[in-house]
Amino acid sequence: MPWSRIISGIVAIALALTATLLGGWYFTVAIAIVVFLGQQEYFNLVRARGIAPAAKTTILVSQILLAICTLDSSLADAVMPIAGTLICFYLLFQPQLATIADISASIMGLFYVGYLPSYWVRLRNLDSLSISNLPFGGYWPSNWNDVLTQGNLTALPQGLTFTILTFLCIWAADIGAYVIGKFFGKTRLSDISPKKTVEGAVFGITGSVIVALAGAYFLDLPHYLITGSALGLLIGIASLLGDLTESMLKRDAGVKDSGQLIPGHGGILDRTDSYIFTAPLVYYFVTLLLSKWA
């Protein structure tokens, strides 16, 4: 593995953990930057197919959506139909007649790189206001024992602990799939991404389950064996599907990487594709299922 890939990966992980720990508007701004850059790359892929999306309008309403998620997450779902209406309105009154592909690509850009990532903000904000000790809803531990011992760990907001646990599961899935797939993988998983193997996928999902089980134990979740296994499977499979979806988009656009922003990793979408589908699933796992098991 090239050193540029290792170093940029370490920097990205450090920034992600810092933003996650801070929470509040700090985390929202970090997600907003990722969404902005990701949508730029997505629309470049779309334009490679000769499609003319409503890129500026979609990017603007996506940023508004992230702000609303921070202010009042109960209003966030109302943004999606309103934003879709505005995008269609914009395209209908362009000098050049819009096509079905223009409208579809714009709505997909809103959903795939705007609406789905907004669940990271919703997830991180769960029960987080109570421990805010910084301006703009942020948090920083006065004593690192607050976050490094099991007794205090279970007292932290669900938003903080489950966001970090989800990150750890995704990293375990990515690393496990990469290492096992590279050295032991023989069975091709899909023609969408020829380098991915069944062996790598299975081991990646297994890695996610192992980390989730450990997290469920340390967080003292109810029925931790069932909870951890279910959460790990959910994250591992969603992470894999996110990776394959972005590979499908790149294959259709005829490019190897979505961009060249991150040395050794390609673009923002190349680095964050595993995160797109996971946040909504984990959010509803916590808010709908876990609350019933408690």
Side-chain angles (χ1 to χ4, degrees):
M1 184 182 292
W3 278 107
S4 60
R5 183 180 177 92
I6 296 173
I7 293 172
S8 59
I10 292 172
V11 171
I13 289 173
L15 291 174
L17 289 176
T18 301
T20 302
L21 187 59
L22 285 167
W25 284 98
Y26 305 95
F27 185 74
T28 301
V29 169
I31 295 296
I33 293 171
V34 171
V35 167
F36 174 79
L37 296 173
Q39 285 184 323
Q40 295 274 27
E41 292 179 357
Y42 167 79
F43 286 124
N44 285 337
L45 295 177
V46 167
R47 293 187 186 103
R49 298 290 295 159
I51 299 171
K56 292 180 180 178
T57 305
T58 305
I59 291 172
L60 175 61
V61 296
S62 295
Q63 297 297 313
I64 293 172
L65 170 60
L66 293 172
I68 290 175
C69 284
T70 306
L71 293 170
D72 187 351
S73 61
S74 65
L75 299 176
D77 287 331
V79 176
M80 187 67 181
I82 295 172
T85 302
L86 290 174
I87 289 170
C88 290
F89 184 83
Y90 173 83
L91 288 170
L92 285 172
F93 289 92
Q94 290 302 294
Q96 184 177 350
L97 187 64
T99 66
I100 294 175
D102 297 338
I103 297 173
S104 300
S106 301
I107 299 299
M108 178 64 176
L110 172 65
F111 175 76
Y112 178 65
V113 206
Y115 179 73
L116 293 180
S118 76
Y119 276 91
W120 283 111
V121 175
R122 305 190 209 192
L123 179 63
R124 176 58 184 86
N125 284 346
L126 287 175
D127 301 327
S128 294
L129 190 60
S130 60
I131 66 164
S132 173
N133 59 8
L134 293 176
F136 307 110
Y139 164 75
W140 194 259
S142 56
N143 185 337
W144 282 100
N145 284 332
D146 293 347
V147 295
L148 295 178
T149 60
Q150 184 177 7
N152 291 328
L153 193 64
T154 57
L156 289 172
Q158 285 184 325
L160 175 57
T161 54
F162 273 95
T163 300
I164 292 178
L165 178 58
T166 304
F167 283 164
L168 293 175
C169 288
I170 293 173
W171 296 340
D174 284 350
I175 293 171
Y178 178 82
V179 173
I180 297 301
K182 185 176 181 64
F183 293 103
F184 302 102
K186 295 180 180 179
T187 309
R188 179 181 292 186
L189 178 66
S190 170
D191 291 336
I192 294 174
S193 185
K195 291 184 179 180
K196 286 184 173 52
T197 63
V198 172
E199 293 83 358
V202 170
F203 196 84
I205 294 172
T206 302
S208 175
V209 171
I210 291 172
V211 171
L213 280 170
Y217 173 77
F218 282 107
L219 292 174
D220 196 24
L221 298 184
H223 315 294
Y224 80 91
L225 288 175
I226 299 174
T227 304
S229 298
L231 183 63
L233 278 172
L234 197 70
I235 295 172
I237 294 172
S239 172
L240 176 62
L241 291 177
D243 199 338
L244 289 173
T245 299
E246 201 246 348
S247 295
M248 179 178 64
L249 294 175
K250 291 188 295 184
R251 178 174 285 271
D252 188 48
V255 298
K256 182 179 182 293
D257 296 317
S258 64
Q260 300 298 326
L261 182 66
I262 307 174
H265 291 273
I268 283 288
L269 285 180
D270 294 315
R271 188 61 268 165
T272 61
D273 51 10
S274 300
Y275 299 75
I276 291 176
F277 293 124
T278 50
L281 297 177
V282 174
Y283 176 81
Y284 287 118
F285 181 89
V286 173
T287 56
L288 297 181
L289 296 181
L290 195 61
S291 60
K292 294 182 179 180
W293 292 345

